[in-house]
């Protein structure tokens, strides 16, 4: 269950980054903040749905996925920069 949250929010983090990369120079930070905000809103909404429970552990798993997406994006752009130098 938590692995699915990590994977979903990893994908969300990467998509958020690439959707705002040209808008601001702080794309990584903004995508992380927006993803965390969405995670909290999602869990808050789940607490209002019948037969669903909100979980703080789900939010933590979501944040882990977002942080991993930030590392992936940075690694991706660092590897592109190294390829251009060679």
């Amino acid at each position: 269950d938590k692995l699915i949250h990590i994977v979903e929010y990893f994908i969300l983090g990467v998509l958020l980054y690439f959707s705002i990369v040209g808008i601001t120079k702080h794309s990584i930070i903004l995508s992380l903040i927006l993803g965390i905000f969405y995670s909290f809103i999602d869990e808050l909404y789940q607490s209002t749905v019948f037969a669903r429970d909100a979980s703080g552990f789900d939010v933590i798993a979501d944040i882990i996925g977002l942080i991993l997406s930030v590392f992936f994006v940075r690694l991706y752009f660092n590897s592109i920069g190294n390829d251009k130098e060679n």
Side-chain angles (χ1 to χ4, degrees):
D1 178 42
K2 303 305 178 231
L3 181 62
I4 293 171
H5 278 268
I6 291 171
V7 171
E8 286 175 339
Y9 276 80
F10 174 86
I11 294 169
L12 176 66
V14 171
L15 292 175
L16 276 171
Y17 174 78
F18 283 112
S19 68
I20 61 177
V21 70
I23 298 171
T24 178
K25 64 179 181 177
H26 303 290
S27 301
I28 289 178
I29 294 169
L30 185 59
S31 63
L32 191 60
I33 290 170
L34 289 172
I36 291 171
F37 178 72
Y38 184 79
S39 174
F40 281 115
I41 296 299
D42 184 42
E43 289 303 313
L44 182 64
Y45 171 72
Q46 280 187 15
S47 70
T48 66
V49 175
F50 180 72
R52 297 289 305 262
D53 292 325
S55 171
F57 292 115
D58 287 348
V59 173
I60 292 170
D62 298 342
I63 292 171
I64 290 170
L66 290 165
I67 291 171
L68 289 174
S69 72
V70 167
F71 286 131
F72 171 78
V73 166
R74 294 198 57 129
L75 183 68
Y76 174 76
F77 280 112
N78 285 341
S79 70
I80 288 176
N82 289 338
D83 287 345
K84 289 182 180 179
E85 292 174 3
N86 292 332

